[in-house]
Amino acid sequence: SISSGSSCTINRYRSLMLDSSTMASEKPYLIYAPIAGRAELARLIAAAGGITITESANMANFGSQDIKETGESKKNYMSPSGMPLLQHGDLKISQSGAIEAYLASIAPRYKDLTAQQRAVDMMFMGIKEELLQNCAKAIFTTQAEDKNKAVKDVRALFDKWFGVIEDQLPAEGFIHGLSYPTPADLALLNITIAALPFGSAAKLAQYDFRKWKKVTTLCDKVKADENVAEYLSGSTYTDANPFGV
């Protein structure tokens, strides 16, 4: 006979297996506005990593893919501030960094990355997010009060970070020396080609990313990757600028 403890363990194991099977069969579902913004790197990671995602810009869709009724209360997104949001099976998460890291963790192309490589990828994700927040502040807030200050802030921001990044990049190839780009490479591409907010900030400050030679070489190589090139050729988000900034 099976003890009650063993029975609970077996049932828990079966539940975990069912959750994994369900998540494997469902496409991750992203909710974000139809711009690059805080969701573009997640989209790039999915595309480059070999994941097909579904997407909606409708915030009203918060509950449209609620988990199936199981007698338990439904989970809500932990996000008082809104998008981006991601659902995959029973999982519901907010925050761009968490979404990016999760997609990278389940992407077939990235299954063999080491803990160290993933840590470096997350570092570049964090750099992207810091740049994004400060670029958005410059174009939407500071510029309205003092355009000259906004211009100076953007130039100083880009020079500070790209000086460090340029110094650390390999002379050729991707950041991890692999045959394909990982989220670290994709983060730099995101910064240098997305219209909002990076492109708008660069336009305001008349800043040319291509003055950084190793960054330019790397990003050109990332764009040439088959998966990335396919995504960019069909994306309506990368160049979107509905605010006209």
Side-chain angles (χ1 to χ4, degrees):
S1 62
I2 300 175
S3 68
S4 59
S6 298
S7 178
C8 289
T9 300
I10 291 171
N11 288 337
R12 176 60 178 160
Y13 176 75
R14 287 172 176 167
S15 175
L16 289 171
M17 291 297 290
L18 178 60
D19 289 345
S20 298
S21 176
T22 299
M23 293 179 74
S25 65
E26 293 182 5
K27 297 175 182 177
Y29 173 66
L30 179 69
I31 300 176
Y32 197 68
I35 59 174
R38 296 180 65 217
E40 187 68 0
L41 182 53
R43 297 179 184 121
L44 282 166
I45 290 171
I51 302 172
T52 299
I53 62 174
T54 58
E55 184 166 350
S56 172
N58 188 353
M59 288 286 282
N61 286 347
F62 261 35
S64 67
Q65 294 198 6
D66 278 330
I67 60 174
K68 297 179 178 65
E69 293 289 354
T70 61
E72 301 175 0
S73 60
K74 294 183 179 181
K75 297 178 182 178
N76 295 316
Y77 292 99
M78 187 178 291
S79 181
S81 58
M83 304 178 288
L85 305 167
L86 185 82
Q87 179 172 356
H88 191 203
D90 288 357
L91 176 69
K92 286 186 174 183
I93 55 174
S94 62
Q95 300 301 313
S96 53
I99 292 170
E100 292 156 6
Y102 175 71
L103 291 173
S105 74
I106 65 171
R109 202 179 199 185
Y110 300 141
K111 63 182 177 62
D112 295 325
L113 292 182
T114 66
Q116 290 85 354
Q117 289 169 329
R118 293 186 188 278
V120 170
D121 285 343
M122 291 186 70
M123 178 179 70
F124 276 88
M125 293 176 200
I127 293 170
K128 178 272 301 179
E129 195 67 16
E130 180 176 331
L131 285 166
L132 185 149
Q133 291 175 4
N134 283 284
C135 285
K137 178 181 177 182
I139 62 176
F140 291 117
T141 303
T142 308
Q143 182 179 196
E145 301 170 356
D146 186 342
K147 183 176 179 179
N148 289 332
K149 184 179 186 308
V151 169
K152 291 178 182 178
D153 286 351
V154 171
R155 289 175 180 170
L157 177 71
F158 285 150
D159 279 344
K160 176 183 74 173
W161 274 112
F162 278 98
V164 173
I165 292 168
E166 180 81 0
D167 184 58
Q168 295 294 319
L169 289 182
E172 59 182 28
F174 297 120
I175 289 172
H176 293 315
L178 303 173
S179 61
Y180 53 86
T182 68
D185 307 292
L186 298 169
L188 288 182
L189 180 65
N190 179 193
I191 296 165
T192 58
I193 69 171
L196 282 175
F198 306 112
S200 294
K203 179 181 178 181
L204 169 68
Q206 297 183 319
Y207 196 92
D208 186 4
F209 293 123
R210 297 189 74 84
K211 73 178 185 178
W212 302 104
K213 302 304 182 184
K214 288 198 287 187
V215 170
T216 299
T217 299
L218 173 66
C219 289
D220 286 345
K221 185 174 180 63
V222 178
K223 284 189 287 188
D225 176 78
E226 183 178 2
N227 290 8
V228 176
E230 181 179 359
Y231 168 75
L232 293 176
S233 68
S235 173
T236 59
Y237 307 118
T238 308
D239 296 329
N241 186 2
F243 307 111
V245 292

